[in-house]
Each structure stands twice: as structure tokens, then as C-alpha cells.
Amino acid sequence: MISLQRSYRDVPKKVIGLLILALGLQIIMHYQLPKPRTEIQALTPPPKQALLRLVSLGDRVVSAKILMLWLQAYDNQAGQFISYDKLNYTALQQWLEQILQLDPKSQYPLLAASHLYSTVQDPDKQRKMLEFVYEQFFIDPQRRWPWLAHATVLAKHQLKDLPLALKYAQAIAAHANSSMPRWAQEMQIFILEEMGELERARLVIGGMLKSGQLTDPNEIKFLNDKLLALEKKSAKRKIHQPN
Amino acid sequence: MRQIFTLAALVTTEALRTRFFAVILVLLLIGFGLTLFLEQVTLIETVAYQSSLLAAFLRLSAVYVVSLFVIASMVHEFHDHSIYLWLSLPMQRSHYFLGKFSGFAIVACMTAILFGAALLGEIPYQQVGLWTLSLFCELLIITALSLLCVLTFPQTVQAFSVVLGFYILARSISAMQLMAQGPLSASQSYVDQLINLLIKLLAMLLPNLERFTQSEWLVYHTGYLDNVLEIVVQTIIYVMLLIGMSLFDLYRKNL
């Protein structure tokens, strides 16, 4: 095919001149244009679910995954990394909720809420994300408990809000199933102990032992030991308490 | 029948000579590049993200290349007047059409198989099989529609625009119906009622492509034979309708 083409010398000089001129003008034009904007765009609330479904062209799972990746990369704008603190957390929560509605089986939005967006220093924003995980947990407790378990740890150790941690731990225990590990159900015992609610902790352990659901001897021994330790602690406290 | 096979073989040869499958290969390479990129950016559910986005990319690419191939091939046939040559032979117009359609269907089938094979790495083969069969059904509808459009508007831009419009409508008609059942249905104005009626009419006439080739099957393994049976029945009915319309148009054409 190439041999069938005529020589470059057959191209009129005016055409070559036009080509060079146009290329030069294009390069000049490029440098005249304003530089790409580096302003950080605020995260706006998401569109309605019906509109998201319409633009999904029937494949909601794919839309959810694309939106999640876009949201995850939102802190990296125009080559700058912005802190999660600067994001609008109300809009962020709405986006995560819409994504979960598009693909309810996906765990990604809950991972993002409990592991990424809850790492900010602002306690209000942290609480917003933890509350989001808590609310979403009830929709599908069997799949979503690991994220609420992580939220419990964050509430206890980072926010130092033991009643909040207890609320989350109790929600997990209330929706316990055979696939859930024991430690997730036992979290409330340690939180109650730390809160000084020794009687309540003992009652929880007693309830667990009496339920007959425990089969592992080590588990039963551990809980019995814990019960004894709590009883001792409780008795000690009673002795030291002024009448 | 022999005439139909000959024409079908010629279309397949044309696909090979015009390097149609080289485009398929390039698309597969881009798809693999996309999956490698996704591996870097996802924190969990990496395989789910890779398979769903690769499947969506391959599905759209398949519709795009197959439709464009059908339209470009037929426009070329009109421009170089080979259609007149074929029709001057002792051959029925229906045989000519079915020969062409069969050839394009073979190309669509090969495309679906190649794209389906690309998904086999991490996903159970049963789900990939259902997805591939569904993609083939979707491509058959697109092939028949592209033929109808190119016979009606023998220009690439017009024909492809109609196919694209049809495809977008067919994939979003369920969502449009849901939207219409919301605030629109409560309104009593004539315009709203007319729009509602139009959407209902469109939903009745369009195949529901939303139910075809779902990424969810690959991600959550939720595809069942029942899904595909429904898709196959819908494809047979709709392809018959499109072939009927195309033949009606072809027989009326003063060629």
C-alpha cells in the first residue's frame, strides 16, 4: 500500500505551509488558554435514586461500582490530595446510601464509611459515618456485621464513647447468627465491664451460658472464668463501697 | 439454502478481511488494561469490580462494533452497487436478506464467545455461559435492528444513530416506567397523561434489554437458566419482528 503512495514532494508547498501554521497556532493556543483549575470542587448531594437507575441503563451493579470508585477518588482532585475533613459528610453519606441502594450486596460503601471516612479527626464527622454503618447494618445484619463491629471498636477506642460502643455491640448481639464469630457477640461484655456495669455484664454472660448455644468447651471455660472474675470484682467493689 | 450459506460465508470472510477481529482483540486488550487498573484502585471486592466493569465494557463494545460492522458493510454494498448484482441473480430477496443476516449472526456469535472467554478467569463457567448466551441474544437483536435501519436509512450516521437511540431506550425503559408511575401518574394534565401513554407504548414495543446480560450474574452468581430462557424467547420473537419489518421494507424497495 505504501509503495502506491506518491512522494512527499508531490504535496503542494502551500499545503505543507498550512499544516505547519495550523500546528504552530494550536501550540500557541494551548499556552494561551488558562491553566487547568486547581480549585477543589465541593461534594454535592447525589441525584435521586430514580435518575441514577435511569442512567444505569438497567445495569445497576456496574453503576454502583463506577460511582463508588469515583467517590473513593474524590479526595484526589486536579492532582491535589484533599483531607477527608474537607468533604461534605452529609452529601458523602447520601452518596454511600444511594450506592448501597443500587447494589445492596456490595460491602464496599460500608468499608469506606467504617475504615476510610471515619479516620478523620472531627468527632461529628466520625459519628456520622458510624451512625451510617449502624443504620445500614439492620438492612442486612448477616453480611454487614463486620463493619458494625469495626464501628464498635472505633466508638470505644477513638471516640471514647462507651454508651455508643455498647449500642453497636448490643445491635450485633441482638442479630447474632451461627455464621457470626463469638467474639463479635461478646464485645458487649467487655464494654459493660469497662463502663463499670458489672452486674449487667454478668447477666449477659449468664444468659449466653444458659442459652445452650455454646458448644466449644474452651469458649464455655473462658466465659465461666470471666463470670467468676466479674463476681470477684463485684464483691470487692461492694466491700470497698462506703455504706 | 445454498444461496443463504454462500452469502453468510461471504459476510464472515468480509469480517476477517476488514480486520474486524483485530478490533475485537484490541478491545480485549483495553479490557484487560482496565482490570489491571482496577486491581490497583480497589480496596476490597477486587474481582467483583473487575468482572462487572470488564463485562459492562465488553457488552457495550460488542454492541458498538457489531452494529457498526453491519451498517458499514451494508452501506458499502449499496455504494458499490453489489446489492444490485446480487438481486439481479435468480435469488429471492428474502434469501439475500437471510444470507446476510446469518453471516452477521455468525460474526455476532464469535464476538460473544470471544468476549465471554475473557471473563472465564475468576468467574464460574456456568455464569459466564449464561452471560455469553445472553450477549449473543442481545447482539442478534442489534444485528437485525441494524439491518432494518440500514435498509431504511442507507447512511451510516442516520442508521447508527437510530440503533443507538433504540438501544438506550430499550435498556432504560423499565426505569422510565418506574419514573412515570411516580409523580407523573398522579398528575391529571393532558401532557402528563400523553407522556405516560407514550412510555407505556414504548415499553410494549421495545424488548426489555435491562434483563439481558446482567453483570450481577457474574458478580453475585445469580444467573439461572430461567433468566436465559426468557431472554431466548424474547430474542426469537423480536428478531422475527425485525426480520419481518426488514423484509417488508426490502420487498418494497425499487432496486
Side-chain angles (χ1 to χ4, degrees), chain B residues 15-242:
Chain B
L16 288 169
R17 287 194 181 150
T18 53
R19 294 174 192 162
F20 174 83
F21 292 103
V23 177
I24 297 290
L25 196 70
V26 170
L27 287 169
L28 282 171
L29 287 173
I30 295 170
F32 284 125
L34 177 75
T35 57
L36 288 177
F37 169 70
L38 289 171
E39 199 175 349
Q40 300 298 313
V41 295
T42 48
L43 303 172
I44 54 163
E45 297 180 343
T46 303
V47 173
Y49 271 70
Q50 284 175 320
S51 53
S52 63
L53 294 183
L54 176 64
F57 170 73
L58 293 178
R59 181 185 181 187
L60 287 178
S61 302
V63 169
Y64 169 75
V65 287
V66 168
S67 167
L68 215 52
F69 173 67
V70 174
I71 293 169
S73 167
M74 289 304 290
V75 166
H76 187 246
E77 191 123 331
F78 275 110
H79 285 181
D80 69 4
H81 299 288
S82 50
I83 188 167
Y84 300 99
L85 180 69
W86 286 113
L87 296 179
S88 67
L89 296 171
M91 175 167 51
Q92 286 180 29
R93 288 188 179 200
S94 59
H95 286 181
Y96 167 77
F97 181 85
L98 289 175
K100 280 282 174 187
F101 177 74
S102 307
F104 292 129
I106 292 167
V107 173
C109 181
M110 287 158 84
T111 307
I113 291 170
L114 286 170
F115 281 178
L119 293 163
L120 273 173
E122 302 273 359
I123 305 155
Y125 67 91
Q126 298 96 327
Q127 297 296 327
V128 174
L130 295 178
W131 187 88
T132 308
L133 182 59
S134 175
L135 179 65
F136 173 57
C137 289
E138 190 169 333
L139 291 179
L140 268 187
I141 292 178
I142 291 298
T143 301
L145 178 77
S146 303
L147 270 172
L148 171 67
C149 290
V150 81
L151 287 172
T152 315
F153 319 100
Q155 300 294 333
T156 309
V157 175
Q158 286 96 321
F160 189 66
S161 302
V162 175
V163 173
L164 203 65
F166 171 94
Y167 185 70
I168 292 170
L169 257 181
R171 279 190 63 174
S172 51
I173 196 69
S174 294
M176 285 170 84
Q177 268 186 299
L178 283 174
M179 283 176 93
Q181 280 163 11
L184 273 179
S185 61
S187 172
Q188 291 301 312
S189 85
Y190 286 116
V191 179
D192 292 337
Q193 283 180 8
L194 189 73
I195 291 171
N196 214 346
L197 191 73
L198 188 72
I199 291 171
K200 276 185 184 165
L201 192 72
L202 275 173
M204 195 171 67
L205 294 175
L206 289 170
N208 191 350
L209 290 185
E210 187 183 320
R211 301 176 74 84
F212 284 56
T213 330
Q214 286 287 299
S215 307
E216 197 183 343
W217 303 342
L218 305 173
V219 178
Y220 301 119
H221 310 157
T222 50
Y224 294 101
L225 206 58
D226 289 353
N227 303 122
V228 181
L229 278 178
E230 181 196 312
I231 287 167
V232 170
V233 172
Q234 168 69 91
T235 306
I236 292 168
I237 293 170
Y238 214 78
V239 167
M240 272 165 53
L241 175 71
L242 290 170

Side-chain angles (χ1 to χ4, degrees), chain A residues 159-183:
Chain A
L159 289 173
K160 314 273 184 214
D161 188 343
L162 291 174
L164 186 71
L166 182 65
K167 183 175 97 169
Y168 296 163
Q170 284 177 333
I172 295 172
H175 292 82
N177 57 70
S178 54
S179 65
M180 206 182 271
R182 280 279 157 202
W183 63 260

